Amino acid sequence: MKMTDTIGSDTSHQLAEHLPPYQSHEAVMEAERCLYCFDAPCMHACPTHIDIPGFIRKISTGNVRGAGMTILDSNLLGATCARVCPVEELCQGACVLRATDKPIAIGRLQRHATDHLASVTPDPYQRGAANGRSVLVVGSGPAGLSAAGELAKRGYAVTVWERSPLAGGLSTYGIIPLREPIEVALGEVAMIERLGVEIHTSTALADEPALADALTRFDAVFLATGLGAVPAMPVGGAEHIRDGLDYIAQAKLNQPDPDDVQARRVVVIGAGNTAIDAATIARRRGGEVTIVYRRTAAEMPAYHHEYEFALREGIDFAFLTQPVEVVTEDGRVAGLRCTAMTLGEPDASGRRRPVPVDGSDRLIPCDLVVRAIGQEGYGPDSAFGLDLAGTYIAVDPHLRASRERVWAGGDAIRDHGAASTVMAVEDGKKAADSIDAYFLSVNPSDTPEPGGHHG
Amino acid sequence: MADLTSTFCGVTSPNPFWLASAPPTNSGYQVNKAFEAGWGGAVWKTLGPPVLNISNRYGSLTIDGKRMLAINNVELISDRPLEVNLREIAEVKRNWPDRAVIVSAMVDADPRAWETIIRQIEDTGADGIELNYGCPQGMSERGMGAAVGQVPEMCQLNTEWATSVASIPVIVKLTPNVTDIKASARAALAGGADALSLINTINSITKVDLDTFSISPTIGGRGTHGGYAGPAVKPIALHMLSELMTDPDTVASGVPISAIGGIVTWTDAAEFFLLGASSVQICTGAMHYGFRIIDDLVDGLSNWMDDKGFATIEDFRGRALSGVSTFGQLDLSYQAVARIDTNACISCNLCYNACEDTAHQCIDLVDTAGQVVQPGFDRNANGKAVADSRPKPVVRESDCVGCALCANVCPVDGCITMVTVDSGRQPVTWDQLQAESPAVTTDWDAMSAYRSTVGIDIH
Ligand SMILES: Cc1cc2nc3c(=O)[nH]c(=O)nc-3n(C[C@H](O)[C@H](O)[C@H](O)COP(=O)(O)OP(=O)(O)OC[C@H]3O[C@@H](n4cnc5c(N)ncnc54)[C@H](O)[C@@H]3O)c2cc1C
Ligand SMILES: Cc1cc2nc3c(=O)[nH]c(=O)nc-3n(C[C@H](O)[C@H](O)[C@H](O)COP(=O)(O)O)c2cc1C
Ligand code: SF4
């Protein structure tokens, strides 16, 4: 079906969350399929190790509020994770029913429980009794919020600095609304704030001196600063290529996109999950969308289920195609000139290296070119004076960075393959544990009060 | 093709599946429709003195989303005018001469009342009469139904009044709300019953509402116990049937038994035939899914009989009875152990948990390298690949007492088998021990000595 006739109309419908919520009886029916495995593989596979059979059983008995609490006990951002986690690769991929039957729809059940909890018990936890320690969390993405919430539960005075006008990190700005509406991310931010966490938006930690200064005002600093913008591309007319994250953010905030109104033909460069997300937005807005990738489908970094989703959405793929130049007419994008590639010898990553085919240039006519080729990492200038591991902030197994009283976690420390929201949440928990353990070792009598919960 | 024709007390029907006396047999319209669908017979909804029914008369049991695992009814006998019922019965019988048309009745404990109703029923041309001694509520307070069925003397007396006037077969339908079903059966036989049927419904309250705190079903804010029927009662009905079919008095009488209670599928029915039933009656199954279930009841039973090489129901009726025994006659030296088929195992670990928490702690979790490991996860491990390195449950057979709990909780058919192993001990029963070494059965020291002699070690 062509969707071009919807260009310029309200996008809230096309971009609305694509999975409907479960009705109560649907959730109970799905929950009742669960075998309630002991020491269950889904729980092992979840990076935050939620007691999945436990919460599913609670849904089946009608204790949906309890189910939500079971989830949040292990993962404060359970509502976001329920929507964005690549469950096929995690819990659901490990379900014992995956071979003989359909795996349990763990993500959707988790959404049912966390949404219910948010509606009946919006404040499931109380701030722990003050323990006299203060922590600065830099960045309010999943890693930062998770650490902030866990620390507040234990009585730490937590302050968050967030560079952007809204808190929530990529859950607020980067995850397409089809998967997670912005309200869900902002709802979690609000819950963390009501736990007594002070969030200062439009406030950035600038550099090494700023970190040194912060360490004089806070007992500990947790850096959860994520990654940077999409890097510029070394091709002619690069200044005409939109940053994919910026493109998605505009859709997420439901802002009209000036480029997009005329953009009937969109080319997205890259083949990771972000590329598919950007392409999905363009497609849902009515564009004819082509993803340009210099290797083949087999080498795509996007999850296979994401690739299949894109095909179902009607997104075209131009494989073995390398962009060379953005062609403009009267200052407007008119097309992307590309070279055909062929696969040569394997490179360092083990994937066969694409090599250009001489004289194979062709023009893909389009109105908008979006780049989605990953995010910029850290360098000596941007790492707050901390040691680096490649383009990430270096940490030890307890997430301690190279400077005393500084911890780091989330995308800032993680090689991109495994980077995901739930890994960031787990890092936040680990950092909170590590910070707690640190102060306990500094002053063992200083046993922090565990944060109680009611509900 | 197997021949399903059934003859019960001389009453023939094309198949042994009858609708039990209940809402499905409430009217000529319904019974006619059921016969069109292929039912072999019908026991008409109980006729008797005037009654008034209430609304919200059914409650039910749902478990894990499965509806109608049992129904609970606070319904009385037929509330339609007697002469309407009698007229319709006569019409149905005229139109369906090959089907079994049995009429259920319940009247005051008075010989004249029995005589009147029996004459009226016989005038319809019906093939038989079923005496309802079961109704557990509403009628029992009026001295009928369970009030008769629960007192053997009353059961015998009422049966005598009925059989002394009846010229067609009289079936006595027994209530399960007694401690000894054999006593009820013997009373009915002493009263001259030509056949027995069982079970009627069991006293029950199926639910308490957690918002209103009232019991279900709620009739204008109040409730009372009702009668329990449907799939959940099948094991009780099977047991009561086996008790009668192994009771020397009942067996000697030679009367046939029409089995009722929890039959929904042909497999359920086959189990009752294997325990000696001559026909089966169905109520809840029809109330849940309608008359159309008769198709698979007939077809399924017939195909199974073909597969097994049985030409008629008589070829396998009662086949399971030879294995029905008392506890005292079981071989205490028989030994089985659980064996888990690692290839079929899906690693749910339900068996491990069951044995560890509530049996004999003899299932190990063994990892891919063959090491016994404890349950639990590595905080730093995640992703679907964890499932590939998941340990598998393995039974330490030397410690297994063969209780079979694991085999029962395992969700995969055929994954855990109870395998017979040689215990190395001579067969012995409790009855033999009692007769030959009575001290062993009464004194712990003697028992311990006995165990060490024969080599039984229970830790
Ligand atoms: C388009 C896109 C789609 C994605 N989809 C999914 C998905 O479906 N499922 C999934 O699991 N993962 C997805 N991811 C990955 C996931 O969003 C990240 O792994 C996750 O958000 C990482 O969390 P974080 O807290 O480490 O960083 P972020 O979410 O990036 O948050 C970092 C925050 O720190 C702030 N910040 C940075 N520097 C400073 C500073 N100096 N001072 C103050 N604040 C600062 C930033 O503004 C930002 O708010 C997606 C990523 C992208 C880009
Ligand atoms: C709603 C309902 C009404 C019943 N009414 C009668 C009745 O009038 N007379 C009778 O003998 N049995 C009555 N019964 C009992 C059934 O005939 C039958 O014995 C019982 O339901 C067990 O069979 P089932 O498990 O197939 O339902 C009734 C049962 C139900 C569920
Ligand atoms: S049969 Fe009983 S004792 Fe043996 S392994 Fe199974 S649960 Fe354990």
Side-chain angles (χ1 to χ4, degrees), chain B residues 107-304:
Chain B
V107 290
D108 288 326
D110 171 358
R112 278 178 312 254
W114 278 111
E115 180 171 3
T116 311
I117 190 85
I118 282 171
R119 296 270 176 262
Q120 288 169 318
I121 292 169
E122 288 188 343
D123 287 348
T124 64
D127 301 301
I129 297 169
E130 187 178 77
L131 311 187
N132 176 354
Y133 294 164
C135 225
Q137 84 293 318
M139 305 311 290
S140 48
E141 294 89 327
R142 290 162 63 177
M144 289 171 268
V148 174
Q150 286 167 337
V151 183
E153 297 74 26
M154 289 299 288
C155 173
Q156 179 177 343
L157 194 60
N158 279 264
T159 307
E160 267 165 19
W161 289 330
T163 54
S164 60
V165 287
S167 58
I168 53 177
V170 173
I171 307 168
V172 173
K173 181 170 179 178
L174 303 178
T175 172
N177 297 314
V178 292
T179 36
D180 182 7
I181 194 75
K182 297 188 292 295
S184 309
R186 288 177 196 139
L189 294 173
D194 300 300
L196 301 172
S197 61
L198 83 168
I199 58 175
N200 210 311
T201 57
I202 305 170
N203 291 343
S204 73
I205 288 172
T206 34
K207 200 177 163 68
V208 181
D209 189 296
L210 295 187
D211 293 318
T212 62
F213 308 150
S214 53
I215 63 172
S216 162
T218 305
I219 299 99
R222 301 176 66 79
T224 181
H225 75 273
Y228 195 56
V233 312
K234 186 180 92 173
I236 297 165
L238 282 172
H239 168 245
M240 289 191 159
L241 174 63
S242 82
E243 283 217 293
L244 294 192
M245 291 307 295
T246 54
D247 172 45
D249 292 348
T250 312
V251 173
S253 76
V255 302
I257 300 184
S258 184
I260 321 167
I263 300 166
V264 182
T265 68
W266 63 267
T267 59
D268 300 327
E271 293 176 50
F272 283 92
F273 291 129
L274 285 166
L275 282 176
S278 295
S279 77
V280 292
Q281 299 184 28
I282 295 175
C283 165
T284 307
M287 289 179 76
H288 192 179
Y289 301 114
F291 296 137
R292 63 205 162 112
I293 62 169
I294 189 61
D295 177 44
D296 183 53
L297 283 166
V298 167
D299 189 44
L301 184 66
S302 158
N303 285 335
W304 175 78

Side-chain angles (χ1 to χ4, degrees), chain A residues 145-219:
Chain A
L145 288 181
S146 158
E150 292 298 338
L151 289 166
K153 277 162 66 180
R154 297 176 207 195
Y156 288 84
V158 186
T159 304
V160 177
W161 290 355
E162 167 55 53
R163 177 165 55 201
S164 298
L166 292 174
L170 287 171
S171 304
T172 296
Y173 287 100
I175 298 203
I176 57 173
L178 267 77
R179 214 172 297 135
E180 183 188 21
I182 193 166
E183 294 76 16
V184 176
L186 296 178
E188 286 174 336
V189 169
M191 172 187 73
I192 300 289
E193 275 189 300
R194 290 193 306 267
L195 257 174
V197 172
E198 262 185 50
I199 302 182
H200 301 277
T201 51
S202 304
T203 306
L205 180 75
D207 48 18
E208 183 175 1
L211 175 62
D213 179 54
L215 284 167
T216 64
R217 292 154 57 198
F218 298 93
D219 295 321

Side-chain angles (χ1 to χ4, degrees), chain A residues 203-271:
Chain A
T203 306
L205 180 75
D207 48 18
E208 183 175 1
L211 175 62
D213 179 54
L215 284 167
T216 64
R217 292 154 57 198
F218 298 93
D219 295 321
V221 174
F222 176 51
L223 296 172
T225 41
L227 293 171
V230 182
M233 297 196 67
V235 298
E239 67 278 12
H240 296 286
I241 304 180
R242 279 286 296 275
D243 175 327
L245 284 181
D246 180 53
Y247 181 73
I248 292 171
Q250 244 153 342
K252 183 89 179 187
L253 300 174
N254 206 14
Q255 291 168 344
D257 191 321
D259 279 341
D260 194 48
V261 176
Q262 293 87 19
R264 294 170 184 275
R265 295 162 306 170
V266 180
V267 170
V268 177
I269 305 169

Side-chain angles (χ1 to χ4, degrees), chain A residues 32 35-41 43-47 49 88-90 93-94 96-98 100 423 426 429-430 433, chain B residues 63-65 346-350 352-353 365 374-388 390 411:
Chain A
E32 278 161 349
L35 296 179
Y36 196 37
C37 295
F38 175 75
D39 193 31
M43 178 176 178
H44 291 213
C46 169
H49 307 296
E88 294 84 349
E89 305 297 321
L90 300 172
V96 300
L97 296 181
R98 72 195 180 283
T100 51
M423 293 295 286
E426 178 65 7
K429 280 169 63 186
K430 277 189 186 153
D433 289 347
Chain B
I63 296 179
D64 272 1
I346 58 170
S347 295
C348 69
N349 286 355
L350 288 174
Y352 170 83
N353 193 213
L365 292 178
Q374 293 306 309
F377 57 82
D378 170 3
R379 184 173 185 184
N380 294 311
N382 57 60
K384 66 180 176 186
V386 296
D388 304 333
R390 196 162 159 76

